Amino acid sequence: MPHSPLELLEGLFDQDGMRSAAHRFVLGGPFGAEPAEASAERLGHFADAGGLLIETSHSYAGGKAEAAVGEWLRKNPGILGVATKVGHDTTGGDIPLSRATVHDHVRSALDDLAVESIDVILYHCDDPARPVAELADTLVSLVEAGYARRVGASNWQAERLSALAVELAGRGHTLVASYQFSLAEPDPALLGGSLHADTAVLDVIREHSLPLFGWSSQARGYFARTGSRQVNGRPDPYDTEDNRARRRRCVELAAQLGSRPETVALAWTLRHPEVWPSIGPRTTKQIDNSLQARRLALTGEQVNWLRHGAR
């Protein structure tokens, strides 16, 4: 049955609602870089499985991703909510976050996504040359214009993220954060300029009770593999000694639970109530494998052992 993602999302973004794992998965994927039929199949399957939110960006797929998502949303209005990011050009480079530029990009996103208002708009990057208060005002202006329901930021340093959270709280808004977050902690030098939710970022998120969109929640398929690989001609940022040990522990626990290592790793993220894991499946089967994580009730001891190896 069709549901109202807006009503459900509002409740789940609240602090109490974030403790439920039922609808916290966010669907990403190669929208705009694959046949429309493949995107439509996954989007429909995710919605039928109770999913609520799609994640994309103004810059993904050379600027084609939002329009690809919008093609499905036009035919299926009100079924899935959408989060998108602004602040990168179509090559993925940072751009100045002036109010005029941000509003231009968001108006373009509204047209491409075929929605009247976007559920969550996030800065894809910081603009350190601008005061945090100015950037907070720009985000609030998007809500006041009816362009967005919630606002947030990705890839900000912890100190600036904390200041933005304070500025938005003073204007009556709770910041939504977006960082890499998974059982596998990447080598920052190999992550390509993006930021993961390190201890400093997580301290900010917990101090201000912020929801966190955790992208690459399965570490780009790391836990589904047995060996190493290169990513865009560079070493895999997740292939470290610590993460290889975590993957071995996932394999061991998955065998005990009758599950898959990547599903166990995703269940680990769900034990963090502030995290909304973003998944990037290529097939409906991969969606189903990810959603199985909701059924794995890991104990606190297992959560600690998967991460640190100490029982």
Side-chain angles (χ1 to χ4, degrees):
M1 292 289 293
H3 53 249
S4 169
L6 304 184
E7 181 179 351
L8 291 170
L9 281 171
E10 281 302 311
L12 287 173
F13 273 125
D14 293 338
Q15 190 170 2
D16 289 340
M18 284 194 290
R19 300 186 182 279
S20 168
H23 300 288
R24 277 174 27 218
F25 288 104
V26 182
L27 183 69
F31 307 122
E34 66 178 355
E37 295 80 7
S39 294
E41 183 181 21
R42 284 200 318 282
L43 289 164
H45 192 80
F46 183 67
D48 289 343
L52 294 177
L53 194 63
I54 315 162
E55 179 190 28
T56 187
S57 168
H58 195 70
S59 65
Y60 288 169
K64 299 177 182 178
E66 289 175 337
V69 171
E71 182 176 346
W72 187 86
L73 291 175
R74 282 185 179 88
K75 300 173 184 176
N76 302 274
I79 302 299
L80 289 172
V82 63
T84 194
K85 297 182 285 291
V86 296
H88 283 175
D89 61 23
T90 56
T91 70
D94 295 357
I95 60 173
L97 299 178
S98 70
R99 180 177 296 208
T101 297
V102 170
H103 275 248
D104 282 348
H105 279 206
V106 171
R107 283 191 290 266
S108 174
L110 288 166
D111 290 340
D112 286 342
L113 291 167
V115 295
E116 294 182 359
S117 185
I118 296 168
D119 297 286
V120 188
I121 291 176
L122 305 104
Y123 287 135
H124 212 156
C125 57
D126 191 4
D127 185 348
R130 297 178 190 277
V132 172
E134 175 190 333
L135 294 170
D137 285 340
T138 297
L139 288 177
V140 171
S141 73
L142 296 173
V143 179
E144 292 174 343
Y147 295 162
R149 296 184 174 89
R150 286 187 177 260
V151 292
S154 182
N155 297 314
W156 282 45
Q157 296 293 337
E159 183 177 357
R160 295 261 296 179
L161 181 72
S162 181
L164 182 62
V166 170
E167 292 284 352
L168 285 174
R171 294 158 174 78
H173 297 270
T174 298
L175 173 74
V176 178
S178 174
Y179 291 80
Q180 192 281 327
F181 181 83
S182 70
L183 175 58
E185 184 174 340
D187 180 343
L190 299 174
L191 202 56
S194 298
L195 299 183
H196 74 280
D198 60 13
T199 300
V201 168
L202 290 174
D203 284 347
V204 172
I205 286 166
R206 289 162 183 160
E207 177 185 358
H208 298 283
S209 299
L210 309 180
L212 168 64
F213 289 171
W215 54 266
S216 288
S217 60
Q218 292 174 300
R220 299 176 182 169
Y222 181 76
F223 293 98
R225 299 191 296 273
T226 57
S228 60
R229 68 166 187 173
Q230 289 199 326
V231 179
N232 298 324
R234 305 177 65 193
D236 184 348
Y238 298 100
D239 192 28
T240 67
E241 183 177 349
D242 285 344
N243 289 337
R244 287 191 288 271
R246 289 165 183 146
R247 185 167 60 185
R248 289 193 295 269
R249 291 193 288 271
C250 280
V251 170
E252 180 181 336
L253 186 56
Q256 296 173 15
L257 299 176
S259 185
R260 303 169 63 91
E262 64 270 29
T263 305
V264 169
L266 195 54
W268 180 91
T269 70
L270 288 175
R271 280 298 307 269
H272 299 75
E274 69 276 13
V275 177
W276 291 55
S278 179
I279 57 175
R282 300 300 180 102
T283 66
T284 57
K285 179 62 175 176
Q286 289 175 349
I287 291 176
D288 292 339
N289 288 341
S290 294
L291 296 182
Q292 289 289 332
R294 296 178 297 184
R295 301 175 186 173
L296 296 182
L298 301 182
T299 67
E301 181 182 14
Q302 289 169 332
V303 168
N304 182 71
W305 177 70
L306 287 170
R307 179 68 172 177
H308 304 289
R311 288 190 182 274

